[in-house]
PDB file of all heavy atoms in Angstrom:
ATOM      1  N   GLU A   1      17.976  16.799  -8.072  1.00 89.00           N
ATOM      2  CA  GLU A   1      17.716  17.844  -9.029  1.00 89.00           C
ATOM      3  C   GLU A   1      18.001  19.158  -8.449  1.00 89.00           C
ATOM      4  O   GLU A   1      17.929  19.374  -7.184  1.00 89.00           O
ATOM      5  CB  GLU A   1      16.163  17.887  -9.390  1.00 89.00           C
ATOM      6  CG  GLU A   1      15.736  16.737 -10.251  1.00 89.00           C
ATOM      7  CD  GLU A   1      14.219  16.805 -10.568  1.00 89.00           C
ATOM      8  OE1 GLU A   1      13.553  17.497  -9.874  1.00 89.00           O
ATOM      9  OE2 GLU A   1      13.831  16.226 -11.605  1.00 89.00           O
ATOM     10  N   LYS A   2      18.399  20.208  -9.216  1.00 87.00           N
ATOM     11  CA  LYS A   2      18.640  21.546  -8.836  1.00 87.00           C
ATOM     12  C   LYS A   2      17.519  22.395  -9.437  1.00 87.00           C
ATOM     13  O   LYS A   2      17.347  22.463 -10.674  1.00 87.00           O
ATOM     14  CB  LYS A   2      19.980  22.025  -9.323  1.00 87.00           C
ATOM     15  CG  LYS A   2      21.198  21.324  -8.585  1.00 87.00           C
ATOM     16  CD  LYS A   2      22.447  21.899  -9.091  1.00 87.00           C
ATOM     17  CE  LYS A   2      23.698  21.247  -8.341  1.00 87.00           C
ATOM     18  NZ  LYS A   2      24.966  21.834  -8.800  1.00 87.00           N
ATOM     19  N   ILE A   3      16.730  22.952  -8.551  1.00 81.00           N
ATOM     20  CA  ILE A   3      15.574  23.744  -9.013  1.00 81.00           C
ATOM     21  C   ILE A   3      15.472  25.085  -8.272  1.00 81.00           C
ATOM     22  O   ILE A   3      15.406  25.057  -7.025  1.00 81.00           O
ATOM     23  CB  ILE A   3      14.200  23.020  -8.818  1.00 81.00           C
ATOM     24  CG1 ILE A   3      14.281  21.611  -9.473  1.00 81.00           C
ATOM     25  CG2 ILE A   3      13.081  23.787  -9.360  1.00 81.00           C
ATOM     26  CD1 ILE A   3      13.088  20.796  -9.107  1.00 81.00           C
ATOM     27  N   GLY A   4      15.526  26.186  -8.958  1.00 76.00           N
ATOM     28  CA  GLY A   4      15.352  27.540  -8.331  1.00 76.00           C
ATOM     29  C   GLY A   4      16.256  27.746  -7.190  1.00 76.00           C
ATOM     30  O   GLY A   4      15.801  28.284  -6.172  1.00 76.00           O
ATOM     31  N   GLY A   5      17.514  27.424  -7.224  1.00 80.00           N
ATOM     32  CA  GLY A   5      18.376  27.652  -6.186  1.00 80.00           C
ATOM     33  C   GLY A   5      18.398  26.694  -5.052  1.00 80.00           C
ATOM     34  O   GLY A   5      19.043  26.941  -4.040  1.00 80.00           O
ATOM     35  N   ARG A   6      17.695  25.632  -5.193  1.00 86.00           N
ATOM     36  CA  ARG A   6      17.634  24.634  -4.095  1.00 86.00           C
ATOM     37  C   ARG A   6      18.019  23.235  -4.788  1.00 86.00           C
ATOM     38  O   ARG A   6      17.814  23.025  -5.947  1.00 86.00           O
ATOM     39  CB  ARG A   6      16.284  24.514  -3.427  1.00 86.00           C
ATOM     40  CG  ARG A   6      15.202  24.067  -4.365  1.00 86.00           C
ATOM     41  CD  ARG A   6      13.838  24.063  -3.581  1.00 86.00           C
ATOM     42  NE  ARG A   6      12.773  23.412  -4.334  1.00 86.00           N
ATOM     43  CZ  ARG A   6      11.954  24.206  -5.146  1.00 86.00           C
ATOM     44  NH1 ARG A   6      12.126  25.511  -5.312  1.00 86.00           N
ATOM     45  NH2 ARG A   6      11.054  23.636  -5.841  1.00 86.00           N
ATOM     46  N   VAL A   7      18.551  22.390  -3.941  1.00 91.00           N
ATOM     47  CA  VAL A   7      18.824  21.042  -4.320  1.00 91.00           C
ATOM     48  C   VAL A   7      17.851  20.014  -3.695  1.00 91.00           C
ATOM     49  O   VAL A   7      17.698  20.049  -2.465  1.00 91.00           O
ATOM     50  CB  VAL A   7      20.269  20.639  -4.025  1.00 91.00           C
ATOM     51  CG1 VAL A   7      20.571  19.222  -4.381  1.00 91.00           C
ATOM     52  CG2 VAL A   7      21.223  21.678  -4.617  1.00 91.00           C
ATOM     53  N   GLU A   8      17.208  19.213  -4.496  1.00 91.00           N
ATOM     54  CA  GLU A   8      16.222  18.263  -3.974  1.00 91.00           C
ATOM     55  C   GLU A   8      16.690  16.811  -4.348  1.00 91.00           C
ATOM     56  O   GLU A   8      16.927  16.546  -5.510  1.00 91.00           O
ATOM     57  CB  GLU A   8      14.839  18.503  -4.598  1.00 91.00           C
ATOM     58  CG  GLU A   8      14.242  19.839  -4.060  1.00 91.00           C
ATOM     59  CD  GLU A   8      12.781  19.944  -4.529  1.00 91.00           C
ATOM     60  OE1 GLU A   8      12.262  19.028  -5.093  1.00 91.00           O
ATOM     61  OE2 GLU A   8      12.191  21.014  -4.216  1.00 91.00           O
ATOM     62  N   SER A   9      16.753  16.019  -3.354  1.00 94.00           N
ATOM     63  CA  SER A   9      17.121  14.554  -3.594  1.00 94.00           C
ATOM     64  C   SER A   9      15.958  13.758  -3.061  1.00 94.00           C
ATOM     65  O   SER A   9      15.358  14.036  -2.017  1.00 94.00           O
ATOM     66  CB  SER A   9      18.380  14.180  -2.949  1.00 94.00           C
ATOM     67  OG  SER A   9      18.304  14.284  -1.473  1.00 94.00           O
ATOM     68  N   ARG A  10      15.656  12.631  -3.728  1.00 95.00           N
ATOM     69  CA  ARG A  10      14.657  11.722  -3.318  1.00 95.00           C
ATOM     70  C   ARG A  10      15.244  10.253  -3.413  1.00 95.00           C
ATOM     71  O   ARG A  10      15.698   9.799  -4.423  1.00 95.00           O
ATOM     72  CB  ARG A  10      13.405  11.789  -4.222  1.00 95.00           C
ATOM     73  CG  ARG A  10      12.770  13.238  -4.263  1.00 95.00           C
ATOM     74  CD  ARG A  10      11.669  13.348  -5.252  1.00 95.00           C
ATOM     75  NE  ARG A  10      11.086  14.624  -5.350  1.00 95.00           N
ATOM     76  CZ  ARG A  10      11.594  15.633  -5.994  1.00 95.00           C
ATOM     77  NH1 ARG A  10      12.673  15.492  -6.713  1.00 95.00           N
ATOM     78  NH2 ARG A  10      11.034  16.793  -5.973  1.00 95.00           N
ATOM     79  N   ASN A  11      15.156   9.588  -2.250  1.00 96.00           N
ATOM     80  CA  ASN A  11      15.635   8.170  -2.179  1.00 96.00           C
ATOM     81  C   ASN A  11      14.396   7.305  -2.101  1.00 96.00           C
ATOM     82  O   ASN A  11      13.491   7.426  -1.195  1.00 96.00           O
ATOM     83  CB  ASN A  11      16.491   8.031  -0.920  1.00 96.00           C
ATOM     84  CG  ASN A  11      16.911   6.630  -0.796  1.00 96.00           C
ATOM     85  OD1 ASN A  11      16.431   5.897   0.081  1.00 96.00           O
ATOM     86  ND2 ASN A  11      17.774   6.128  -1.690  1.00 96.00           N
ATOM     87  N   TYR A  12      14.239   6.432  -3.067  1.00 97.00           N
ATOM     88  CA  TYR A  12      13.106   5.502  -3.156  1.00 97.00           C
ATOM     89  C   TYR A  12      13.577   4.129  -2.832  1.00 97.00           C
ATOM     90  O   TYR A  12      14.544   3.681  -3.379  1.00 97.00           O
ATOM     91  CB  TYR A  12      12.444   5.507  -4.606  1.00 97.00           C
ATOM     92  CG  TYR A  12      12.030   6.905  -5.018  1.00 97.00           C
ATOM     93  CD1 TYR A  12      12.888   7.646  -5.881  1.00 97.00           C
ATOM     94  CD2 TYR A  12      10.755   7.392  -4.687  1.00 97.00           C
ATOM     95  CE1 TYR A  12      12.453   8.928  -6.335  1.00 97.00           C
ATOM     96  CE2 TYR A  12      10.342   8.633  -5.190  1.00 97.00           C
ATOM     97  CZ  TYR A  12      11.233   9.405  -5.955  1.00 97.00           C
ATOM     98  OH  TYR A  12      10.834  10.635  -6.459  1.00 97.00           O
ATOM     99  N   VAL A  13      12.832   3.395  -2.015  1.00 97.00           N
ATOM    100  CA  VAL A  13      13.154   2.024  -1.695  1.00 97.00           C
ATOM    101  C   VAL A  13      11.837   1.193  -1.631  1.00 97.00           C
ATOM    102  O   VAL A  13      10.821   1.666  -1.101  1.00 97.00           O
ATOM    103  CB  VAL A  13      13.818   1.932  -0.263  1.00 97.00           C
ATOM    104  CG1 VAL A  13      14.210   0.531   0.012  1.00 97.00           C
ATOM    105  CG2 VAL A  13      15.041   2.814  -0.198  1.00 97.00           C
ATOM    106  N   LEU A  14      11.929   0.003  -2.168  1.00 97.00           N
ATOM    107  CA  LEU A  14      10.828  -0.929  -2.177  1.00 97.00           C
ATOM    108  C   LEU A  14      11.321  -2.248  -1.477  1.00 97.00           C
ATOM    109  O   LEU A  14      12.429  -2.767  -1.745  1.00 97.00           O
ATOM    110  CB  LEU A  14      10.294  -1.280  -3.539  1.00 97.00           C
ATOM    111  CG  LEU A  14       9.495  -0.252  -4.254  1.00 97.00           C
ATOM    112  CD1 LEU A  14       9.137  -0.756  -5.666  1.00 97.00           C
ATOM    113  CD2 LEU A  14       8.184   0.156  -3.501  1.00 97.00           C
ATOM    114  N   LEU A  15      10.478  -2.703  -0.530  1.00 96.00           N
ATOM    115  CA  LEU A  15      10.776  -4.010   0.106  1.00 96.00           C
ATOM    116  C   LEU A  15       9.551  -4.985  -0.132  1.00 96.00           C
ATOM    117  O   LEU A  15       8.467  -4.457  -0.268  1.00 96.00           O
ATOM    118  CB  LEU A  15      10.998  -3.829   1.667  1.00 96.00           C
ATOM    119  CG  LEU A  15      12.107  -2.980   2.099  1.00 96.00           C
ATOM    120  CD1 LEU A  15      12.066  -2.893   3.686  1.00 96.00           C
ATOM    121  CD2 LEU A  15      13.458  -3.505   1.607  1.00 96.00           C
ATOM    122  N   SER A  16       9.835  -6.291  -0.057  1.00 95.00           N
ATOM    123  CA  SER A  16       8.763  -7.191  -0.152  1.00 95.00           C
ATOM    124  C   SER A  16       7.804  -7.037   1.039  1.00 95.00           C
ATOM    125  O   SER A  16       8.223  -6.872   2.192  1.00 95.00           O
ATOM    126  CB  SER A  16       9.286  -8.649  -0.233  1.00 95.00           C
ATOM    127  OG  SER A  16       8.208  -9.553  -0.105  1.00 95.00           O
ATOM    128  N   ALA A  17       6.487  -7.091   0.720  1.00 95.00           N
ATOM    129  CA  ALA A  17       5.500  -6.949   1.816  1.00 95.00           C
ATOM    130  C   ALA A  17       5.080  -8.304   2.325  1.00 95.00           C
ATOM    131  O   ALA A  17       4.143  -8.373   3.195  1.00 95.00           O
ATOM    132  CB  ALA A  17       4.264  -6.165   1.260  1.00 95.00           C
ATOM    133  N   GLU A  18       5.703  -9.345   1.870  1.00 92.00           N
ATOM    134  CA  GLU A  18       5.281 -10.715   2.232  1.00 92.00           C
ATOM    135  C   GLU A  18       5.283 -10.980   3.747  1.00 92.00           C
ATOM    136  O   GLU A  18       4.393 -11.665   4.270  1.00 92.00           O
ATOM    137  CB  GLU A  18       6.180 -11.712   1.482  1.00 92.00           C
ATOM    138  CG  GLU A  18       5.782 -13.162   1.659  1.00 92.00           C
ATOM    139  CD  GLU A  18       6.658 -14.129   0.921  1.00 92.00           C
ATOM    140  OE1 GLU A  18       7.524 -13.640   0.140  1.00 92.00           O
ATOM    141  OE2 GLU A  18       6.448 -15.353   1.055  1.00 92.00           O
ATOM    142  N   GLU A  19       6.303 -10.406   4.464  1.00 87.00           N
ATOM    143  CA  GLU A  19       6.371 -10.643   5.846  1.00 87.00           C
ATOM    144  C   GLU A  19       5.537  -9.647   6.686  1.00 87.00           C
ATOM    145  O   GLU A  19       5.606  -9.695   7.953  1.00 87.00           O
ATOM    146  CB  GLU A  19       7.858 -10.526   6.294  1.00 87.00           C
ATOM    147  CG  GLU A  19       8.779 -11.520   5.552  1.00 87.00           C
ATOM    148  CD  GLU A  19       8.352 -12.940   5.794  1.00 87.00           C
ATOM    149  OE1 GLU A  19       8.006 -13.261   6.979  1.00 87.00           O
ATOM    150  OE2 GLU A  19       8.437 -13.737   4.870  1.00 87.00           O
ATOM    151  N   LEU A  20       4.817  -8.771   6.078  1.00 91.00           N
ATOM    152  CA  LEU A  20       4.072  -7.765   6.825  1.00 91.00           C
ATOM    153  C   LEU A  20       2.856  -8.364   7.425  1.00 91.00           C
ATOM    154  O   LEU A  20       2.054  -8.988   6.750  1.00 91.00           O
ATOM    155  CB  LEU A  20       3.706  -6.590   5.902  1.00 91.00           C
ATOM    156  CG  LEU A  20       3.539  -5.176   6.533  1.00 91.00           C
ATOM    157  CD1 LEU A  20       4.725  -4.687   7.223  1.00 91.00           C
ATOM    158  CD2 LEU A  20       2.928  -4.255   5.526  1.00 91.00           C
ATOM    159  N   PRO A  21       2.592  -8.215   8.783  1.00 90.00           N
ATOM    160  CA  PRO A  21       1.353  -8.773   9.377  1.00 90.00           C
ATOM    161  C   PRO A  21       0.119  -8.277   8.707  1.00 90.00           C
ATOM    162  O   PRO A  21      -0.026  -7.043   8.539  1.00 90.00           O
ATOM    163  CB  PRO A  21       1.486  -8.332  10.781  1.00 90.00           C
ATOM    164  CG  PRO A  21       2.947  -8.067  11.004  1.00 90.00           C
ATOM    165  CD  PRO A  21       3.466  -7.541   9.736  1.00 90.00           C
ATOM    166  N   GLY A  22      -0.774  -9.189   8.394  1.00 89.00           N
ATOM    167  CA  GLY A  22      -2.144  -8.777   7.867  1.00 89.00           C
ATOM    168  C   GLY A  22      -2.078  -8.196   6.469  1.00 89.00           C
ATOM    169  O   GLY A  22      -3.071  -7.585   6.096  1.00 89.00           O
ATOM    170  N   ILE A  23      -0.975  -8.333   5.707  1.00 91.00           N
ATOM    171  CA  ILE A  23      -0.895  -7.802   4.406  1.00 91.00           C
ATOM    172  C   ILE A  23      -1.871  -8.393   3.448  1.00 91.00           C
ATOM    173  O   ILE A  23      -2.196  -7.801   2.468  1.00 91.00           O
ATOM    174  CB  ILE A  23       0.559  -7.925   3.912  1.00 91.00           C
ATOM    175  CG1 ILE A  23       0.718  -6.895   2.698  1.00 91.00           C
ATOM    176  CG2 ILE A  23       0.917  -9.342   3.416  1.00 91.00           C
ATOM    177  CD1 ILE A  23       0.609  -5.487   3.145  1.00 91.00           C
ATOM    178  N   SER A  24      -2.309  -9.649   3.738  1.00 92.00           N
ATOM    179  CA  SER A  24      -3.296 -10.301   2.801  1.00 92.00           C
ATOM    180  C   SER A  24      -4.558  -9.565   2.785  1.00 92.00           C
ATOM    181  O   SER A  24      -5.444  -9.721   1.878  1.00 92.00           O
ATOM    182  CB  SER A  24      -3.486 -11.747   3.255  1.00 92.00           C
ATOM    183  OG  SER A  24      -3.978 -11.804   4.563  1.00 92.00           O
ATOM    184  N   GLU A  25      -4.823  -8.696   3.852  1.00 95.00           N
ATOM    185  CA  GLU A  25      -6.123  -7.963   3.793  1.00 95.00           C
ATOM    186  C   GLU A  25      -6.064  -6.791   2.851  1.00 95.00           C
ATOM    187  O   GLU A  25      -7.110  -6.194   2.573  1.00 95.00           O
ATOM    188  CB  GLU A  25      -6.378  -7.472   5.194  1.00 95.00           C
ATOM    189  CG  GLU A  25      -6.550  -8.574   6.239  1.00 95.00           C
ATOM    190  CD  GLU A  25      -6.768  -8.038   7.619  1.00 95.00           C
ATOM    191  OE1 GLU A  25      -6.857  -6.822   7.810  1.00 95.00           O
ATOM    192  OE2 GLU A  25      -6.855  -8.836   8.561  1.00 95.00           O
ATOM    193  N   TRP A  26      -4.873  -6.465   2.392  1.00 97.00           N
ATOM    194  CA  TRP A  26      -4.685  -5.344   1.404  1.00 97.00           C
ATOM    195  C   TRP A  26      -4.542  -5.932   0.060  1.00 97.00           C
ATOM    196  O   TRP A  26      -3.524  -6.450  -0.328  1.00 97.00           O
ATOM    197  CB  TRP A  26      -3.522  -4.539   1.824  1.00 97.00           C
ATOM    198  CG  TRP A  26      -3.714  -3.847   3.181  1.00 97.00           C
ATOM    199  CD1 TRP A  26      -3.302  -4.376   4.345  1.00 97.00           C
ATOM    200  CD2 TRP A  26      -4.280  -2.515   3.391  1.00 97.00           C
ATOM    201  NE1 TRP A  26      -3.701  -3.521   5.381  1.00 97.00           N
ATOM    202  CE2 TRP A  26      -4.324  -2.418   4.827  1.00 97.00           C
ATOM    203  CE3 TRP A  26      -4.859  -1.591   2.614  1.00 97.00           C
ATOM    204  CZ2 TRP A  26      -4.803  -1.237   5.365  1.00 97.00           C
ATOM    205  CZ3 TRP A  26      -5.388  -0.449   3.175  1.00 97.00           C
ATOM    206  CH2 TRP A  26      -5.326  -0.278   4.549  1.00 97.00           C
ATOM    207  N   ALA A  27      -5.557  -5.866  -0.783  1.00 96.00           N
ATOM    208  CA  ALA A  27      -5.669  -6.666  -2.049  1.00 96.00           C
ATOM    209  C   ALA A  27      -4.408  -6.318  -2.936  1.00 96.00           C
ATOM    210  O   ALA A  27      -4.113  -5.043  -3.140  1.00 96.00           O
ATOM    211  CB  ALA A  27      -6.961  -6.308  -2.759  1.00 96.00           C
TER     212      ALA A  27
END
């Protein structure tokens, strides 16, 4: 986006949490 003389970019990424240690503790 271009807002008020500045350019802002946002990169969003999602990965599977299945391999994360202890992830089962986070409902």
